[in-house]
Coordinates of all heavy atoms in Angstrom, one line a residue:
F1 N -110.8 18.5 -29.4 CA -110.8 19.0 -30.7 C -110.8 17.8 -31.6 O -110.0 16.9 -31.5 CB -109.5 19.8 -30.9 CG -109.5 20.7 -32.1 CD1 -110.0 22.0 -32.1 CD2 -109.0 20.2 -33.4 CE1 -110.0 22.7 -33.2 CE2 -109.0 20.9 -34.5 CZ -109.5 22.2 -34.4
S2 N -111.7 17.7 -32.5 CA -111.8 16.6 -33.5 C -111.9 17.2 -34.9 O -112.3 18.3 -35.2 CB -113.1 15.8 -33.2 OG -113.1 15.2 -32.0
W3 N -111.4 16.3 -35.8 CA -111.3 16.7 -37.2 C -111.6 15.4 -38.0 O -111.2 14.3 -37.6 CB -109.9 17.2 -37.5 CG -109.7 17.5 -39.0 CD1 -110.2 18.6 -39.7 CD2 -109.0 16.7 -39.9 NE1 -109.8 18.5 -41.0 CE2 -109.1 17.4 -41.1 CE3 -108.3 15.5 -39.8 CZ2 -108.5 16.9 -42.3 CZ3 -107.7 15.0 -41.0 CH2 -107.8 15.7 -42.2
R4 N -112.4 15.6 -39.0 CA -112.8 14.4 -39.8 C -112.8 14.7 -41.3 O -113.2 15.8 -41.7 CB -114.2 13.9 -39.4 CG -114.6 12.7 -40.1 CD -116.1 12.3 -39.7 NE -116.4 11.1 -40.4 CZ -116.4 9.9 -39.9 NH1 -116.1 9.8 -38.6 NH2 -116.6 8.8 -40.5
S5 N -112.3 13.8 -42.1 CA -112.3 14.0 -43.5 C -112.7 12.6 -44.0 O -112.9 11.6 -43.3 CB -111.0 14.4 -44.1 OG -110.1 13.3 -44.1
S6 N -112.8 12.5 -45.3 CA -113.2 11.2 -45.9 C -112.0 10.2 -45.8 O -112.1 9.0 -45.9 CB -113.5 11.3 -47.4 OG -112.5 11.9 -48.1
F7 N -110.8 10.7 -45.4 CA -109.6 9.8 -45.3 C -109.3 9.4 -43.9 O -108.8 8.3 -43.7 CB -108.4 10.6 -45.9 CG -108.6 11.0 -47.3 CD1 -108.8 12.3 -47.7 CD2 -108.6 10.1 -48.3 CE1 -108.9 12.7 -49.0 CE2 -108.7 10.4 -49.6 CZ -108.9 11.8 -50.0
V8 N -109.5 10.3 -43.0 CA -109.0 10.1 -41.6 C -109.9 10.8 -40.6 O -110.4 11.9 -40.9 CB -107.5 10.5 -41.5 CG1 -107.3 12.0 -41.6 CG2 -106.9 10.0 -40.2
T9 N -110.0 10.2 -39.4 CA -110.6 10.9 -38.3 C -109.6 11.0 -37.2 O -108.9 10.0 -36.9 CB -111.8 10.1 -37.8 OG1 -112.8 10.0 -38.9 CG2 -112.5 10.8 -36.6
M10 N -109.4 12.2 -36.6 CA -108.5 12.4 -35.5 C -109.2 13.2 -34.4 O -109.9 14.1 -34.7 CB -107.3 13.2 -36.0 CG -106.2 12.5 -36.6 SD -104.8 13.5 -36.8 CE -104.0 12.8 -38.1
S11 N -108.8 12.8 -33.2 CA -109.3 13.5 -32.0 C -108.1 13.7 -31.1 O -107.3 12.8 -30.9 CB -110.4 12.8 -31.3 OG -110.8 13.5 -30.2
V12 N -107.9 14.9 -30.7 CA -106.7 15.2 -29.8 C -107.2 16.0 -28.6 O -108.1 16.8 -28.7 CB -105.6 16.0 -30.6 CG1 -105.0 15.1 -31.6 CG2 -106.1 17.3 -31.1
E13 N -106.5 15.9 -27.5 CA -106.7 16.6 -26.3 C -105.5 17.5 -26.0 O -105.1 17.7 -24.9 CB -107.0 15.7 -25.1 CG -108.2 14.8 -25.3 CD -109.5 15.6 -25.3 OE1 -109.6 16.6 -24.6 OE2 -110.4 15.2 -26.1
A14 N -105.0 18.1 -27.0 CA -103.8 18.9 -26.9 C -104.1 20.4 -27.2 O -105.0 20.7 -27.9 CB -102.7 18.4 -27.8
N15 N -103.2 21.2 -26.7 CA -103.3 22.7 -27.0 C -102.3 23.0 -28.1 O -101.1 22.9 -28.0 CB -102.9 23.4 -25.7 CG -103.1 24.9 -25.9 OD1 -102.6 25.5 -26.9 ND2 -103.6 25.6 -25.0
G16 N -102.8 23.4 -29.3 CA -102.0 23.7 -30.5 C -101.0 24.8 -30.2 O -99.9 24.7 -30.7
V17 N -101.4 25.8 -29.5 CA -100.6 26.9 -29.2 C -99.3 26.4 -28.4 O -98.2 26.8 -28.7 CB -101.3 28.0 -28.4 CG1 -100.3 29.1 -28.0 CG2 -102.4 28.6 -29.2
E18 N -99.6 25.6 -27.4 CA -98.4 25.1 -26.6 C -97.5 24.2 -27.4 O -96.3 24.3 -27.2 CB -99.0 24.4 -25.3 CG -99.7 25.3 -24.3 CD -100.3 24.4 -23.2 OE1 -100.2 23.2 -23.2 OE2 -101.0 25.1 -22.4
I19 N -98.1 23.4 -28.2 CA -97.2 22.5 -29.0 C -96.4 23.3 -30.0 O -95.2 23.1 -30.1 CB -98.1 21.5 -29.7 CG1 -98.7 20.5 -28.7 CG2 -97.3 20.7 -30.8 CD1 -99.8 19.6 -29.3
L20 N -97.0 24.2 -30.7 CA -96.3 24.9 -31.7 C -95.3 26.0 -31.1 O -94.4 26.4 -31.7 CB -97.2 25.6 -32.7 CG -97.8 24.6 -33.7 CD1 -98.7 25.3 -34.7 CD2 -96.7 23.9 -34.5
A21 N -95.5 26.3 -29.8 CA -94.6 27.3 -29.2 C -93.2 26.6 -29.0 O -92.2 27.3 -29.0 CB -95.1 27.6 -27.8
E22 N -93.2 25.3 -29.0 CA -91.9 24.6 -28.9 C -91.2 24.4 -30.2 O -90.1 24.0 -30.3 CB -92.1 23.2 -28.2 CG -92.7 23.3 -26.8 CD -92.9 22.0 -26.1 OE1 -92.3 21.0 -26.6 OE2 -93.6 22.0 -25.1
I23 N -91.9 24.7 -31.3 CA -91.3 24.6 -32.6 C -90.8 26.0 -33.1 O -91.6 27.0 -33.1 CB -92.3 24.1 -33.7 CG1 -92.7 22.6 -33.3 CG2 -91.7 24.1 -35.1 CD1 -93.7 22.0 -34.1
K24 N -89.5 26.1 -33.4 CA -88.9 27.3 -33.8 C -89.6 27.9 -35.1 O -89.8 27.2 -36.1 CB -87.4 27.2 -34.1 CG -86.7 28.4 -34.5 CD -85.3 28.1 -34.8 CE -84.6 29.4 -35.4 NZ -83.5 29.1 -36.2
S25 N -89.9 29.2 -35.1 CA -90.4 29.8 -36.3 C -89.3 30.1 -37.3 O -88.2 30.4 -36.9 CB -91.1 31.2 -35.9 OG -92.3 31.0 -35.2
E26 N -89.6 29.9 -38.5 CA -88.7 30.3 -39.6 C -89.3 31.5 -40.4 O -90.5 31.6 -40.5 CB -88.6 29.1 -40.6 CG -88.1 27.8 -39.9 CD -86.7 27.8 -39.5 OE1 -85.9 28.6 -40.0 OE2 -86.4 27.0 -38.6
K27 N -88.4 32.3 -40.9 CA -88.9 33.4 -41.8 C -88.6 32.9 -43.2 O -87.5 32.5 -43.6 CB -88.1 34.7 -41.5 CG -88.3 35.2 -40.1 CD -89.7 35.7 -39.9 CE -89.8 36.3 -38.5 NZ -91.1 36.8 -38.2
V28 N -89.7 32.9 -44.0 CA -89.7 32.5 -45.4 C -90.0 33.6 -46.3 O -91.0 34.3 -46.1 CB -90.7 31.3 -45.6 CG1 -90.7 30.9 -47.1 CG2 -90.4 30.1 -44.7
E29 N -89.1 33.9 -47.2 CA -89.3 35.0 -48.2 C -90.2 34.5 -49.3 O -90.0 33.4 -49.9 CB -87.9 35.4 -48.8 CG -88.1 36.7 -49.6 CD -88.5 37.9 -48.7 OE1 -88.1 38.0 -47.6 OE2 -89.4 38.7 -49.2
T30 N -91.3 35.2 -49.5 CA -92.3 34.8 -50.6 C -92.3 36.0 -51.6 O -91.8 37.0 -51.4 CB -93.7 34.6 -50.0 OG1 -94.3 35.9 -49.7 CG2 -93.6 33.7 -48.7
P31 N -93.0 35.8 -52.7 CA -93.2 36.8 -53.7 C -93.9 38.1 -53.1 O -93.7 39.2 -53.7 CB -94.0 36.2 -54.8 CG -93.7 34.7 -54.7 CD -93.5 34.5 -53.3
V32 N -94.6 37.9 -52.1 CA -95.4 39.1 -51.5 C -94.8 39.6 -50.2 O -95.3 40.5 -49.6 CB -96.9 38.8 -51.4 CG1 -97.5 38.5 -52.7 CG2 -97.1 37.7 -50.4
G33 N -93.7 39.0 -49.7 CA -93.1 39.5 -48.5 C -92.7 38.3 -47.6 O -93.0 37.1 -47.9
E34 N -92.1 38.6 -46.4 CA -91.6 37.6 -45.5 C -92.8 37.0 -44.7 O -93.6 37.8 -44.2 CB -90.6 38.3 -44.6 CG -89.8 37.3 -43.8 CD -88.7 37.9 -43.0 OE1 -89.0 38.5 -41.9 OE2 -87.6 37.9 -43.5
L35 N -92.8 35.7 -44.5 CA -93.9 35.1 -43.8 C -93.3 34.2 -42.7 O -92.3 33.5 -42.9 CB -94.6 34.2 -44.8 CG -96.0 33.6 -44.5 CD1 -97.0 34.7 -44.2 CD2 -96.5 32.7 -45.6
E36 N -93.9 34.2 -41.5 CA -93.5 33.4 -40.4 C -94.1 32.0 -40.7 O -95.3 31.9 -41.0 CB -94.0 33.9 -39.1 CG -93.7 33.0 -37.9 CD -94.3 33.4 -36.6 OE1 -95.3 34.2 -36.6 OE2 -93.8 33.0 -35.6
V37 N -93.3 30.9 -40.5 CA -93.8 29.6 -40.8 C -93.2 28.7 -39.7 O -92.0 28.8 -39.3 CB -93.3 29.1 -42.2 CG1 -93.7 27.6 -42.4 CG2 -93.9 30.0 -43.2
K38 N -94.0 27.7 -39.2 CA -93.5 26.7 -38.3 C -93.6 25.4 -39.1 O -94.6 25.1 -39.8 CB -94.3 26.6 -37.0 CG -94.1 27.8 -36.2 CD -94.8 27.7 -34.9 CE -94.5 28.9 -34.0 NZ -93.5 28.8 -33.0
L39 N -92.5 24.5 -39.0 CA -92.4 23.3 -39.8 C -92.3 22.1 -38.8 O -91.6 22.2 -37.8 CB -91.2 23.2 -40.7 CG -91.1 24.3 -41.7 CD1 -89.8 24.3 -42.4 CD2 -92.2 24.2 -42.7
S40 N -93.1 21.1 -39.0 CA -93.1 19.9 -38.2 C -92.8 18.8 -39.2 O -93.6 18.5 -40.0 CB -94.4 19.7 -37.5 OG -94.4 18.4 -36.9
V41 N -91.6 18.2 -39.1 CA -91.2 17.2 -40.1 C -90.9 15.9 -39.4 O -90.2 15.8 -38.4 CB -89.9 17.7 -40.8 CG1 -89.5 16.7 -41.9 CG2 -90.2 19.1 -41.4
P42 N -91.4 14.8 -39.9 CA -91.2 13.5 -39.2 C -89.7 13.0 -39.5 O -89.1 13.5 -40.5 CB -92.2 12.5 -39.9 CG -92.5 13.2 -41.3 CD -92.3 14.6 -41.0
A43 N -89.3 12.0 -38.7 CA -88.0 11.4 -39.0 C -88.1 10.6 -40.3 O -89.1 10.1 -40.6 CB -87.6 10.5 -37.8
G44 N -87.0 10.7 -41.1 CA -87.1 10.0 -42.4 C -87.8 10.8 -43.4 O -88.1 12.0 -43.2
K45 N -88.2 10.1 -44.5 CA -88.8 10.8 -45.6 C -90.3 10.9 -45.3 O -91.0 9.9 -45.1 CB -88.6 10.0 -46.9 CG -89.1 10.6 -48.1 CD -88.8 9.8 -49.3 CE -89.4 10.5 -50.6 NZ -89.1 9.7 -51.8
P46 N -90.9 12.1 -45.4 CA -92.3 12.3 -45.2 C -93.1 11.5 -46.3 O -92.7 11.5 -47.5 CB -92.6 13.8 -45.3 CG -91.3 14.4 -45.1 CD -90.3 13.4 -45.6
A47 N -94.2 11.0 -45.9 CA -95.1 10.3 -46.9 C -96.1 11.3 -47.5 O -96.7 11.1 -48.6 CB -95.9 9.2 -46.2
A48 N -96.3 12.4 -46.8 CA -97.3 13.5 -47.3 C -96.9 14.8 -46.6 O -96.1 14.8 -45.7 CB -98.7 13.0 -47.0
V49 N -97.5 15.9 -47.1 CA -97.3 17.2 -46.6 C -98.7 17.8 -46.3 O -99.6 17.7 -47.2 CB -96.5 18.1 -47.5 CG1 -96.4 19.5 -47.0 CG2 -95.1 17.5 -47.7
A50 N -98.9 18.4 -45.2 CA -100.2 19.1 -44.8 C -99.9 20.5 -44.7 O -99.0 20.9 -43.9 CB -100.8 18.5 -43.6
L51 N -100.6 21.4 -45.4 CA -100.5 22.8 -45.2 C -101.7 23.2 -44.3 O -102.9 23.1 -44.7 CB -100.7 23.5 -46.6 CG -100.6 25.0 -46.7 CD1 -99.3 25.5 -46.0 CD2 -100.8 25.5 -48.1
M52 N -101.3 23.7 -43.2 CA -102.3 24.0 -42.1 C -102.6 25.5 -42.1 O -101.8 26.4 -41.7 CB -101.8 23.7 -40.7 CG -101.1 22.3 -40.7 SD -102.2 21.0 -41.0 CE -102.3 20.2 -39.4
I53 N -103.8 25.9 -42.7 CA -104.2 27.3 -42.8 C -105.2 27.7 -41.7 O -106.2 27.0 -41.4 CB -105.0 27.5 -44.1 CG1 -104.1 27.1 -45.3 CG2 -105.4 29.0 -44.3 CD1 -102.8 27.8 -45.5
H54 N -104.8 28.7 -41.0 CA -105.6 29.2 -39.8 C -106.7 30.1 -40.2 O -106.9 30.5 -41.3 CB -104.6 29.9 -38.8 CG -104.0 31.1 -39.4 ND1 -104.7 32.3 -39.7 CD2 -102.7 31.3 -39.7 CE1 -103.8 33.2 -40.1 NE2 -102.6 32.6 -40.1
G55 N -107.5 30.4 -39.2 CA -108.7 31.3 -39.4 C -108.3 32.7 -39.4 O -107.1 33.1 -39.4
V56 N -109.3 33.6 -39.5 CA -109.1 35.0 -39.7 C -108.7 35.8 -38.4 O -107.9 36.7 -38.5 CB -110.4 35.6 -40.3 CG1 -110.3 37.1 -40.4 CG2 -110.7 35.0 -41.6
V57 N -109.2 35.4 -37.3 CA -109.0 36.1 -36.1 C -107.5 36.1 -35.7 O -106.8 35.1 -35.7 CB -109.8 35.6 -34.9 CG1 -109.5 36.3 -33.6 CG2 -111.3 35.6 -35.3
D58 N -107.0 37.3 -35.3 CA -105.6 37.5 -35.0 C -105.3 37.2 -33.5 O -105.0 38.1 -32.7 CB -105.1 38.9 -35.4 CG -103.6 39.1 -35.3 OD1 -102.9 38.1 -35.2 OD2 -103.1 40.3 -35.4
K59 N -105.4 35.9 -33.2 CA -105.1 35.5 -31.8 C -104.2 34.2 -31.9 O -104.4 33.4 -32.9 CB -106.4 35.1 -31.1 CG -107.2 36.2 -30.7 CD -108.4 35.7 -29.9 CE -109.2 36.8 -29.3 NZ -110.3 36.3 -28.4
D60 N -103.4 34.0 -30.9 CA -102.5 32.8 -30.9 C -103.4 31.5 -31.1 O -103.0 30.6 -31.8 CB -101.7 32.6 -29.7 CG -100.4 33.5 -29.7 OD1 -100.1 34.0 -30.8 OD2 -99.8 33.7 -28.6
E61 N -104.5 31.5 -30.4 CA -105.4 30.3 -30.4 C -105.9 30.0 -31.9 O -106.2 28.8 -32.2 CB -106.6 30.4 -29.5 CG -106.3 30.7 -28.1 CD -106.1 32.2 -27.8 OE1 -106.9 33.0 -28.2 OE2 -105.1 32.5 -27.2
I62 N -105.9 31.0 -32.7 CA -106.4 30.8 -34.1 C -105.2 30.6 -35.0 O -105.1 29.7 -35.8 CB -107.2 32.0 -34.5 CG1 -108.5 32.2 -33.6 CG2 -107.6 31.9 -36.0 CD1 -109.4 31.0 -33.6
R63 N -104.2 31.5 -34.9 CA -103.0 31.3 -35.7 C -102.3 29.9 -35.6 O -101.8 29.4 -36.6 CB -101.9 32.4 -35.3 CG -102.2 33.8 -35.8 CD -101.0 34.7 -35.6 NE -100.7 34.8 -34.2 CZ -101.2 35.7 -33.4 NH1 -102.0 36.6 -33.8 NH2 -100.8 35.8 -32.1
W64 N -102.4 29.4 -34.4 CA -101.7 28.1 -34.2 C -102.7 27.0 -33.9 O -102.4 26.0 -33.3 CB -100.6 28.2 -33.2 CG -99.7 29.3 -33.4 CD1 -99.4 30.4 -32.6 CD2 -98.9 29.5 -34.6 NE1 -98.5 31.2 -33.2 CE2 -98.1 30.7 -34.4 CE3 -98.7 28.8 -35.8 CZ2 -97.2 31.2 -35.4 CZ3 -97.8 29.2 -36.7 CH2 -97.1 30.4 -36.5
E65 N -104.0 27.1 -34.4 CA -105.0 26.2 -33.9 C -104.8 24.8 -34.4 O -105.2 23.8 -33.8 CB -106.4 26.7 -34.5 CG -106.5 26.8 -36.0 CD -107.7 27.4 -36.5 OE1 -108.8 27.3 -35.9 OE2 -107.6 28.2 -37.5
W66 N -104.1 24.6 -35.5 CA -103.8 23.2 -36.0 C -102.6 22.5 -35.4 O -102.4 21.4 -35.6 CB -103.6 23.2 -37.6 CG -104.8 23.7 -38.3 CD1 -105.0 24.9 -38.9 CD2 -106.0 22.9 -38.4 NE1 -106.3 24.9 -39.4 CE2 -106.9 23.7 -39.2 CE3 -106.4 21.7 -38.0 CZ2 -108.2 23.3 -39.5 CZ3 -107.7 21.2 -38.3 CH2 -108.6 22.0 -39.1
G67 N -102.0 23.2 -34.5 CA -100.8 22.7 -33.8 C -101.1 21.4 -33.0 O -100.3 20.6 -32.8
A68 N -102.4 21.3 -32.6 CA -102.8 20.1 -31.8 C -102.7 18.8 -32.6 O -102.6 17.8 -32.1 CB -104.2 20.3 -31.3
F69 N -102.6 19.0 -33.9 CA -102.5 17.8 -34.8 C -101.1 17.4 -35.3 O -100.9 16.3 -35.8 CB -103.4 18.0 -36.0 CG -104.9 18.0 -35.7 CD1 -105.5 19.2 -35.5 CD2 -105.6 16.8 -35.5 CE1 -106.9 19.2 -35.1 CE2 -106.9 16.8 -35.2 CZ -107.6 18.0 -35.0
V70 N -100.1 18.3 -35.1 CA -98.9 18.0 -35.7 C -98.2 16.8 -35.1 O -97.5 16.0 -35.9 CB -97.9 19.2 -35.6 CG1 -98.4 20.4 -36.4 CG2 -97.5 19.6 -34.2
E71 N -98.3 16.5 -33.9 CA -97.6 15.3 -33.3 C -98.3 14.0 -33.9 O -97.6 13.0 -34.3 CB -97.7 15.2 -31.8 CG -96.8 16.3 -31.1 CD -95.4 16.1 -31.5 OE1 -94.9 15.0 -31.5 OE2 -94.7 17.1 -31.7
K72 N -99.6 14.0 -34.0 CA -100.3 12.8 -34.5 C -99.9 12.6 -36.0 O -99.7 11.5 -36.4 CB -101.8 12.9 -34.4 CG -102.3 12.9 -33.0 CD -102.5 11.4 -32.6 CE -103.2 11.4 -31.2 NZ -103.3 10.0 -30.7
L73 N -99.9 13.7 -36.7 CA -99.5 13.6 -38.1 C -98.1 13.2 -38.3 O -97.8 12.5 -39.2 CB -99.9 15.0 -38.8 CG -101.3 15.2 -39.0 CD1 -101.6 16.7 -39.4 CD2 -102.0 14.3 -39.9
R74 N -97.2 13.7 -37.5 CA -95.8 13.3 -37.6 C -95.6 11.8 -37.3 O -94.9 11.2 -38.1 CB -95.0 14.1 -36.5 CG -93.5 13.9 -36.7 CD -92.7 14.6 -35.6 NE -93.0 16.0 -35.5 CZ -92.6 16.8 -34.6 NH1 -91.7 16.3 -33.6 NH2 -92.9 18.0 -34.5
E75 N -96.4 11.2 -36.4 CA -96.4 9.8 -36.2 C -96.8 9.1 -37.5 O -96.4 7.9 -37.7 CB -97.3 9.4 -35.1 CG -96.9 9.9 -33.7 CD -97.9 9.7 -32.6 OE1 -99.0 9.1 -32.9 OE2 -97.7 10.2 -31.5
R76 N -97.6 9.7 -38.3 CA -98.1 9.1 -39.5 C -97.2 9.5 -40.8 O -97.6 9.3 -41.9 CB -99.5 9.5 -39.8 CG -100.5 9.0 -38.8 CD -101.9 9.5 -39.1 NE -102.8 9.0 -38.0 CZ -104.1 8.8 -38.3 NH1 -104.6 9.0 -39.4 NH2 -104.8 8.3 -37.3
K77 N -96.0 10.0 -40.4 CA -95.1 10.4 -41.5 C -95.5 11.6 -42.3 O -95.2 11.6 -43.5 CB -94.6 9.2 -42.4 CG -93.9 8.1 -41.6 CD -92.6 8.6 -41.3 CE -91.7 7.4 -40.8 NZ -90.5 7.9 -40.2
V78 N -96.3 12.5 -41.8 CA -96.8 13.6 -42.5 C -96.1 14.9 -42.0 O -96.0 15.1 -40.8 CB -98.3 13.8 -42.3 CG1 -98.9 15.1 -42.9 CG2 -99.1 12.6 -42.8
A79 N -95.5 15.6 -42.9 CA -94.9 16.9 -42.6 C -95.9 17.9 -42.6 O -96.8 17.9 -43.4 CB -93.8 17.3 -43.6
C80 N -95.9 18.8 -41.6 CA -96.9 19.9 -41.5 C -96.2 21.3 -41.7 O -95.2 21.6 -41.0 CB -97.5 19.9 -40.1 SG -98.5 18.4 -39.8
I81 N -96.8 22.1 -42.5 CA -96.4 23.5 -42.7 C -97.4 24.3 -42.1 O -98.6 24.3 -42.5 CB -96.2 23.8 -44.2 CG1 -95.2 22.8 -44.8 CG2 -95.8 25.2 -44.4 CD1 -95.1 22.8 -46.3
C82 N -97.1 25.2 -41.1 CA -98.0 26.0 -40.4 C -97.6 27.5 -40.6 O -96.9 28.1 -39.9 CB -98.1 25.7 -38.9 SG -98.5 24.0 -38.5
P83 N -98.2 28.1 -41.7 CA -97.8 29.6 -41.9 C -98.6 30.5 -41.0 O -99.8 30.2 -40.7 CB -98.2 29.7 -43.4 CG -99.3 28.8 -43.7 CD -99.0 27.6 -42.8
N84 N -98.1 31.6 -40.7 CA -98.8 32.6 -39.9 C -99.1 33.7 -40.9 O -98.3 34.6 -41.2 CB -97.9 33.1 -38.8 CG -98.6 34.3 -38.1 OD1 -99.7 34.7 -38.4 ND2 -97.9 34.9 -37.1
L85 N -100.3 33.7 -41.5 CA -100.6 34.7 -42.5 C -100.8 36.1 -42.0 O -100.7 37.0 -42.7 CB -101.9 34.3 -43.2 CG -101.9 32.9 -44.0 CD1 -103.2 32.6 -44.5 CD2 -100.8 33.0 -45.1
H86 N -100.8 36.2 -40.6 CA -100.9 37.5 -40.0 C -99.5 38.2 -40.0 O -99.4 39.3 -39.6 CB -101.5 37.4 -38.5 CG -102.9 36.9 -38.5 ND1 -103.9 37.7 -38.7 CD2 -103.4 35.7 -38.3 CE1 -105.0 37.0 -38.6 NE2 -104.7 35.8 -38.3
S87 N -98.5 37.4 -40.2 CA -97.1 38.0 -40.1 C -96.7 38.8 -41.3 O -95.6 39.3 -41.3 CB -96.1 36.8 -39.9 OG -96.1 36.0 -41.0
C88 N -97.5 38.8 -42.3 CA -97.1 39.6 -43.6 C -98.3 40.5 -43.9 O -99.4 40.1 -44.0 CB -96.8 38.6 -44.7 SG -96.5 39.4 -46.3
D89 N -98.0 41.8 -44.2 CA -99.1 42.7 -44.5 C -99.9 42.3 -45.6 O -101.2 42.5 -45.6 CB -98.5 44.1 -44.8 CG -97.9 44.8 -43.6 OD1 -98.3 44.4 -42.4 OD2 -97.1 45.7 -43.7
R90 N -99.4 41.7 -46.7 CA -100.1 41.4 -47.9 C -100.9 40.0 -47.7 O -101.7 39.7 -48.6 CB -99.2 41.4 -49.1 CG -98.8 42.8 -49.4 CD -98.0 42.9 -50.7 NE -98.6 42.3 -51.8 CZ -97.9 42.1 -53.0 NH1 -96.6 42.5 -53.1 NH2 -98.5 41.6 -54.0
T91 N -100.6 39.2 -46.7 CA -101.3 38.0 -46.5 C -102.2 38.0 -45.3 O -103.0 37.1 -45.0 CB -100.4 36.8 -46.4 OG1 -99.6 36.9 -45.2 CG2 -99.5 36.6 -47.6
F92 N -102.2 39.1 -44.6 CA -103.0 39.3 -43.3 C -104.5 39.2 -43.7 O -104.9 39.9 -44.6 CB -102.7 40.7 -42.7 CG -103.3 40.8 -41.3 CD1 -102.4 40.7 -40.3 CD2 -104.6 41.1 -41.1 CE1 -102.9 40.8 -39.0 CE2 -105.1 41.2 -39.9 CZ -104.3 41.1 -38.8
P93 N -105.2 38.2 -43.2 CA -106.6 38.0 -43.5 C -107.4 39.2 -43.2 O -107.5 39.7 -42.0 CB -107.0 36.8 -42.7 CG -105.8 36.2 -42.2 CD -104.7 37.3 -42.2
R94 N -108.1 39.8 -44.2 CA -109.0 40.9 -44.0 C -110.3 40.7 -44.8 O -110.2 40.0 -45.8 CB -108.3 42.2 -44.5 CG -107.1 42.6 -43.8 CD -106.6 43.9 -44.3 NE -106.5 44.0 -45.7 CZ -105.5 43.7 -46.6 NH1 -104.5 43.1 -46.0 NH2 -105.6 43.8 -47.9
L95 N -111.3 41.2 -44.3 CA -112.6 41.0 -45.0 C -112.7 41.7 -46.3 O -113.3 41.3 -47.2 CB -113.8 41.4 -44.1 CG -114.0 40.6 -42.8 CD1 -115.1 41.2 -42.0 CD2 -114.3 39.2 -43.1
D96 N -111.9 42.8 -46.5 CA -111.9 43.6 -47.7 C -110.8 43.1 -48.7 O -110.6 43.7 -49.7 CB -111.7 45.1 -47.4 CG -110.4 45.4 -46.8 OD1 -109.8 44.5 -46.1 OD2 -109.9 46.5 -46.9
A97 N -110.1 42.1 -48.4 CA -109.0 41.6 -49.3 C -109.4 40.3 -49.9 O -110.1 39.5 -49.3 CB -107.7 41.5 -48.5
G98 N -108.9 40.1 -51.1 CA -109.1 38.8 -51.8 C -107.9 37.9 -51.4 O -107.0 38.2 -50.7
P99 N -108.0 36.6 -51.9 CA -107.0 35.6 -51.5 C -105.8 35.6 -52.4 O -104.9 34.8 -52.1 CB -107.9 34.3 -51.7 CG -108.8 34.7 -52.9 CD -109.2 36.1 -52.7
E100 N -105.7 36.5 -53.3 CA -104.6 36.4 -54.3 C -103.2 36.4 -53.7 O -102.4 35.6 -54.0 CB -104.8 37.5 -55.4 CG -106.0 37.4 -56.2 CD -107.3 38.0 -55.6 OE1 -107.2 38.6 -54.5 OE2 -108.3 37.7 -56.1
D101 N -103.0 37.4 -52.8 CA -101.6 37.5 -52.2 C -101.3 36.3 -51.3 O -100.2 35.8 -51.3 CB -101.5 38.8 -51.4 CG -101.3 40.0 -52.3 OD1 -101.0 39.9 -53.5 OD2 -101.6 41.1 -51.8
A102 N -102.3 35.9 -50.6 CA -102.0 34.7 -49.7 C -101.8 33.5 -50.6 O -100.8 32.7 -50.2 CB -103.3 34.4 -48.8
L103 N -102.5 33.3 -51.6 CA -102.2 32.2 -52.5 C -100.9 32.2 -53.2 O -100.2 31.2 -53.3 CB -103.3 32.1 -53.6 CG -104.7 31.6 -53.1 CD1 -105.7 31.8 -54.2 CD2 -104.7 30.2 -52.6
E104 N -100.5 33.4 -53.6 CA -99.1 33.6 -54.1 C -98.0 33.3 -53.1 O -97.0 32.7 -53.4 CB -99.0 35.0 -54.7 CG -97.7 35.2 -55.5 CD -97.6 36.5 -56.2 OE1 -98.6 37.3 -56.3 OE2 -96.5 36.8 -56.7
A105 N -98.2 33.7 -51.9 CA -97.2 33.4 -50.8 C -97.1 31.9 -50.5 O -96.1 31.4 -50.3 CB -97.6 34.2 -49.5
L106 N -98.3 31.3 -50.5 CA -98.3 29.8 -50.2 C -97.8 29.0 -51.3 O -97.2 28.0 -51.2 CB -99.7 29.4 -49.8 CG -100.3 30.1 -48.5 CD1 -101.7 29.7 -48.4 CD2 -99.5 29.7 -47.3

């Protein structure tokens, strides 16, 4: 799995589902309902925060697809927030729904 932006290039050979399975889920109350979230926080003060948004398909491989990057980002002092948008009726990705509720929850 590789990811590239104008800032950084990363390649990992890890399974995001397995990595995030080891991180306890938190329930976060949002204006549109309760949302399951996994947090990966580096030791000390984070230098940045990454909000990891998953794809539309309701499978573990998709909900936790960015988990493969949390360890590498933690080494770089980046805190990662991995919300499960499928865990709340109003943020559940649907083709007939707009992004308003998900944006409000995030």
